[in-house]
Every structure is written in C-alpha cells, then in structure tokens.
Amino acid sequence: MNAVLSPLAAIGAAVLGMLAALGRVALFAFDTVTHLFRPPFYGREFAAALVQIGWLSLPVVGLTALFTGGALALQIYSGGARFNAEEVVPSIVAIGMVRELGPVLGGLMVAARVTSSIAAEIGTMKVTEQIDALVTLSTNPMKYLTLPRVLAATLAVPVLVAVGDAIGIFGGYIIGVTRLGFNEAAYLKNTVDFLELWDVTSGLLKGAAFGFIVATMGCYYGMNSGRGAQGVGRATKTAVVAASVMILAANYLLTELFFTS
Amino acid sequence: MITLTNVHKAFGPKRVLQGVDLTIDKGTSMVIIGGSGTGKSVMLKSVLGLVVPDSGSITVDGKDVAAGDRDAFLARFGMLFQGGALFDSLPVWQNVSFRLLRGALKRPREEAREIAIEKLRRVGLKPETADLFPSELSGGMQKRVGLARAIAAEPEIIFFDEPTTGLDPIMAGVINELIREIVTEMGATAMTITHDMSSVRAIADNIAMLHDGVIKWSGPVSKLDNSGDPYLDQFIHGRAEGPIEAVR
C-alpha cells in the first residue's frame, strides 16, 4: 500500500509546495504594489533601475528581434510557398512580431539578463547583511530595492518591446528585399496595411506584464536567498526559471484574454 | 536603558535564546561574550527588531521595541555590522551619510557630504576615501567606514557586531580604541558582541556572558579576572577543558 501511496504523497507535497510558493510570490507582489501609494519614493533608485533594466537591455533585445524577424521571414516564405502564399510574408512577420515574438522573446531575454542580475544583487546584499543595514538605517528594503526595480521594469519592457518590434520587422524587411526578392515599397505597404493598432497595443500590454514578472521574481528570490554563494546561486537560477515559465504562462493567458473574445 | 526580560527565540528545533535577562544602563558600554553560535547576534538583532523573539519583552527606555513608530525608534540607533555591510553600489561618502540623504534626517547633499568627510576623518580616513567604492577598500578601511556610518547621525545607542573579526592585531587595536573614544565622547549607550578578549578589555564597562541561551554571568570589567565563574574563566582563558564543551 505504501508503495502506491508514497509517490502520490510526494506528488501532493510538491503541488502543495508549489501553490504555497505561488501564494508567497503573490503576497510579495501585492506588498510591492501597495508601496507605490505610500511614500517615501526613491526617485534616484528608480532612475538607476530604468537605465539598468531599460537602456542597457536594448542591445540584447534589439539583436534578438533582428535575427528573429529575419528567420521568421524565411520560414513564412518557405512555408507559404507550399500553397502559393509567399506574398503574406510582410504581414505575417509584422503581426507575428508585435503580437507574439516581440513581447515573448523580449520578455525572456530581459528575464535572462535582468532577473538574474536582480536576484544575484539582492541575494548578495542579503547574505552580506546589507538588507539588515538598510533596515537599521530606517529604510524599508521593499521601497528602496523592490519597488524601483519592479516599476522600472514594468515601464521599460513595453518600450523595449516596441523597439524590438520595429527592429524585428526591419529584419524581415531586409531579408524579404535582399534574399526573397520582394519589392521595397510593396513590402512596406503590406506591412502597414495589415497591421492594426490592437496588434501593437496588446503586445505592449504583454510587455508590461512580463516586465512586472521579471523584476518581481528577481526581487522575491533575492530577498529570500539562502546563505552563502550556493544560496545566492540557487536563488538566481530559480528566479530566472520561475520568471521564464511565468512569462510563457502569462503569455498564454493574455492571448486568451485579448484574442479569443 | 535597554532591558531584555525572559527573551526566547528558536529556529525550528534549535532553541537559541532560552530566557535571556539583561539590563544595559544608559551611557554605558556593555560587551556580550560567548562562543560561536550561542545566539549573541540573534540577541542583538532582537533588540533592533531584525529578529522577532518568540516570547519575552525587550524595552528601550521603558518602551517596547515592537510598538510605536519604527523609523523614529531606529533613528536612535547606529550599528556596525560584522562584515561592514557597506552598500557596494554607493561611494563611501554616500554610505556614511546614507541616513542623512533620505528620510526624516535628510540634509542637502553638500552638507551630507561634508558630514561624511568629517566622520571619515574621525575614524582616521582621508577625505580622498570619500569617493572610492567599498570594493576598493581593505578590510580595516571597510570597518572604519562602517563605524563612520554608525556614528554619522549621532545616535544615542550604538551596536557593534564583532568589530575586530578578520582584522590583524594592530588594526583590531585601532578599531577598539576608536570605539572606546567615540562611545565616551558621544555619551552613547553601546552594546558590542565579540569573542575577542582584547576588544572586551578595551571597550567594556560591563560584560555579560551568553551560554546555552541564557546569561551565565554579568558584571563590571574589573571583576572579569576574579569572577569565580567556571564558564567565564574557561572562556576568557581559552581553555579546552571546562564546563563548556569544546566540540559543539
């Protein structure tokens, strides 16, 4: 009997553990948001976070979008050729980039770069007693460390997504014109004609949600880091994995919400 | 006056504090000694509210530390952490004047910088140190910067957590002398935790020994060498034989 029940008990314990962790993250996120409405607000830390998260992520997001746009154009051209639909390349590249690939790949790249950095930085601050030092200096770590990063990421990632969308479409345009023989003006016209405002807006909203997830997970796992180098390493790894999975899950839920009604 | 009454704290099955009773009079320097892992840091952090005791009471000037305005309460304290706990992302002067750049004690940046440089000078560091980052400092310099930060806002109560750990004997002596001088000239109440006996003799007015989660002995530094307490005698002479188990 035990041989049957033990695996079930292990699965149950894992599920309960995951739900408990999700609950703790939700409470942490809620607490972070409430600090937005309670002064003091640390403007310098917010500005520094904007530069770190937004400006310094531009190269990696831009390069990702450029290559993705180019590859997408090639894929759609080759796939479309099976039923003589090569001309849809510009519109599919544009819609695919702004609705899906721009926000998701942008979010994942920012998670790789920013979530890891935030979790490692805050985790190190915790194990070297810098978080305790903040408290003794009458400074709330949630206000000083977490809120500026979460707010900066929530505002910066949509901008990164917008830039990534433009670069991705440009990547498709370059490949379309130079490799696939599209007329320059026709490619641009097809791109613009089939793109709707909601396509772009929905992608930017996804970007804001992914930015919130990216910074919240980095801060949560950093604040709850274990002791020593191993503890910080584990916190960093878990933060990136959790942020990536949550971005993909949130992407599905938001797509359901935005496009199935 | 800081008073701890029957304070208990456990982490899971490990009972760290098992009924600590201790009084630190205003304007005096109390040094807490005891072996590694006996709960000295937990006791100190309990006073600051960084660790919440399971039971018992902790008061400062008769007021419960867990009640009232937390910022106003913490504004009375300065603390030197074991590893310095300097903020890596800020230059030295902003570390020192951290409290003066934000919150209730906020000053203009120029004034805060001047105060930081003055405090750095007080702990024996040159003004040029002000613009360096913590990673550019030696261990001894980091301790001094931590000390400057602890005294920057002229606190009434200062805590020192292992102030000489990791320092060579000469630098340890310098830090001990600085702490004694600063506490005396500021008239502050000080609580230091250490197992460095040279620190104990240099800094303490009174000593308390923490062992097995309770205060085993307390008294003035003048009675340290003739206390008649076997636990204290074993500890201050560093003997392997005695009532304290060497392997814990």
Side-chain angles (χ1 to χ4, degrees), chain A residues 25-51:
Chain A
V25 170
L27 287 174
F28 182 87
F30 178 75
D31 188 29
T32 303
V33 173
T34 62
H35 283 289
L36 190 56
F37 307 102
R38 290 182 284 160
F41 183 74
Y42 296 106
R44 278 175 189 275
E45 282 64 37
F46 170 67
L50 263 186
V51 172

Side-chain angles (χ1 to χ4, degrees), chain A residues 40 42 44-45 121 124-125 128-140 144 149, chain B residues 45 48 50 71 74-75 77 79 81-83 85-88 90 98-99 102 109 149 161:
Chain A
Y42 296 106
R44 278 175 189 275
E45 282 64 37
E121 183 184 4
T124 304
M125 288 183 77
T128 55
E129 294 186 301
Q130 292 178 51
I131 304 281
D132 284 346
L134 275 177
V135 176
T136 64
L137 292 164
S138 307
T139 303
N140 187 326
Y144 185 77
R149 285 164 174 76
Chain B
K45 287 182 177 179
L48 287 166
L50 296 172
D71 285 353
L74 288 169
F77 287 85
M79 170 135 182
F81 284 84
Q82 188 175 343
L86 301 177
F87 304 124
D88 306 318
L90 300 178
F98 190 90
R99 206 193 272 278
R102 44 187 69 76
R109 283 177 80 78
R149 183 174 70 182
D161 186 359

Side-chain angles (χ1 to χ4, degrees), chain B residues 218-233:
Chain B
S218 67
V221 68
S222 57
K223 291 191 177 169
L224 184 66
D225 295 315
N226 49 14
S227 66
D229 185 277
Y231 289 89
L232 185 65
D233 280 346

